[in-house]
Amino acid sequence: MHRRSFLAALPLGVMGAGAAMAQPYPNVGMGDRITGERFAGRSTVWGSQGAAATAHPIATLIGIDTLRRGGSAIDAAIAINAALGFLEPVANGIGGDAFGLLWDPALGRVVGFNGSGNSPMGLSLETARSRAVDGYLPRYGAVTVNVPGTVDAWWSVHQRYGKLPWAEVLLPVAELCERGAPVPQVIAYYLERNMANFQRPNAGIEEIDNALSVYTTSGRTPREGEMFRNPNLGRTYRMIAEGGRDAFYDGPIAEHIESYFRRIGGWMTRADLAAHQTEWVTPLMTTYRGVEVYGLGPNTQGLSTLQLLNVAEQFDLRTMGFQSAASIHHQAEAKRLAFEDRARWFSDPRFTEIPVEHLLSKAYAAERAALIRPDRVMDHVFPGDAPTQGDTTYFSVADADGMMVSWIQSNYRGMGSGLVPDGPDGSTLGFMFQDRGELFALRDGHPNLYQPGKRPFHTIIPGFACRDGQPWMAFGVMGGGMQPQGQAQIIINMVDYGLGPQEAGDAPRWQHYGSSEPTGQPAEGVGVLHLESGVPAVSRAGLEAMGWTLGPPDGGFGGYQNVMRQINADGGWTYGAATEMRKDGLALAW
């Protein structure tokens, strides 16, 4: 069976991106910094009144401008997310879902929300199975589309935490869509490849003309530095600014969406949209060497980050050495153990009982850690016994009142399903629907089995960490199954190896592929451990000697943002913001 890779940030065909993006001067290394670690591409950005770190410089500027106009961190987060839906359509948009963790200064604790939508009530399991490819749901098309949760998430968090009027948050972004912006390097690269994939023979997309009209001009996508405009999305934002969430879920936008799916033979209806509601949730938490690390529970994979850290905590990674074979080996084996539980248990908790407390316990982590051999990769990894009771953008933002927001939003595989809904007067609504439904299982008895009105397993997860009960970091690493692996590496880099937020993100990363998947796809032996080129040669040799199959850099190591709060000697705090050198992003503070 052909192995399918579930990388939300990467469209089909980008697994060879390491070769495709090769530089003309492969033997030239980085310049030398006068301070800090040599592998860090820049310094952490510091400010006292607020900070933002996003995947696009203009989105960061919009976030900072929203804060400077008196907005809260939530106002800034909504404006950033709306801007990224235009600026970075290869990773997110209002056709997808959103999740968040935030520090509420008034409550003095971390709170979370789940903004993921249900599958259409009119799409049966029988019909879904009839559209399967090799026993799994396809990558693209209407069968993969769930109710988009993002706009309702914006509305719900703004009702609680917004300071600026709703329309004042969105209208500057609508103007940006109409005015346009130059396309940066990485986004131009992915935009071209996404659109090429959608146009492949037998892609399974009911219609592609709407997407072509939005994202191409004269038969091609915009190149680096060229202007891109999306006035249709600007008009949609104006409707949402005027009519609130109801404009999208039970108003003119909902009418257009229902008519579109009726036209192409899909299943989404206005009733499906109107029934959607963001869920406020209590985050899960574990400690890693005294640091409190938070994650969202299923239907997300946030528990996997916490499980990975619980297992890694059983070993003295600091003594093993930064980027050593031993340290990477134990981290990767912890990932393999956590991901087998992910494949076995994770699903929509409204439909399946999931033994979260047991899977999160330190006693269970100790049992699992005992399976790891220090000098040899495990031949087989299975989910643990538990009592029966289961392409993305990420950004961080903080304000002067102490609110810190960790926000992640995605259309799943690259740009999403390939489907852009019709708009008024022969136009479009300017956004693409997610293909998150691809992650349902179709095997009877599986917790993540497709059902109408059910949320699929979700890869996107925000991260948050506290120290001594006070907020420390709003952070995340985007990119499908890379997210728990990347989040754990950031925590380990900072806690075990003492790196700062920018250095922790710029450090070379590893990613393991080949674990079992929540779609029911089984593991493939020990899988493949991909290493970035900065991992020392001696570590590579040591990992191969342990039995690891090593893969090259493939462009799939995620995208990272972080806003860290530092308590200073005078008792006040400052914010340190860091961004991802692998993307087009920018971190700013003031």
Side-chain angles (χ1 to χ4, degrees), residues 323-386:
Q323 295 289 325
S324 70
S327 179
I328 295 172
H329 167 73
H330 285 82
Q331 293 176 54
E333 291 287 56
K335 176 268 180 182
R336 291 178 67 204
L337 291 166
F339 270 47
E340 291 306 310
D341 285 338
R342 183 186 82 141
R344 168 65 181 87
W345 296 106
F346 290 14
S347 64
D348 187 340
R350 301 173 304 173
F351 288 74
T352 306
E353 282 198 70
I354 306 166
V356 171
E357 184 177 352
H358 175 83
L359 296 173
L360 187 56
S361 71
K362 297 290 189 180
Y364 178 67
E367 292 176 11
R368 301 291 274 168
L371 300 173
I372 297 176
R373 296 181 290 183
D375 59 349
R376 190 73 186 167
V377 64
M378 291 181 287
D379 296 323
H380 302 285
V381 180
F382 300 98
D385 292 327

Side-chain angles (χ1 to χ4, degrees), residues 10 22 28 111-112 146 172 267 277 292 332 344 384 397 447 489 538 552 575:
L10 300 180
V28 178
V111 299
N146 289 358
W267 298 272
Q277 202 165 29
E292 301 116 41
R344 168 65 181 87
V397 62
Q489 287 174 69
V538 65
Y575 292 123

Side-chain angles (χ1 to χ4, degrees), residues 449-515:
L449 175 68
Y450 175 83
Q451 290 179 245
K454 184 177 182 179
R455 299 177 300 196
F457 164 75
H458 254 275
T459 55
I460 61 175
I461 48 172
F464 206 97
C466 294
R467 276 182 159 163
D468 301 321
Q470 294 300 309
W472 182 34
M473 297 193 303
F475 75 105
V477 178
M478 60 192 90
M482 180 61 197
Q483 293 176 63
Q485 302 177 65
Q487 285 189 6
Q489 287 174 69
I490 296 300
I491 291 290
I492 289 168
N493 286 347
M494 297 184 71
V495 174
D496 289 294
Y497 299 115
L499 300 183
Q502 187 64 52
E503 296 167 334
D506 286 353
R509 293 186 192 141
W510 58 266
Q511 179 174 197
H512 177 265
Y513 300 112
S515 295

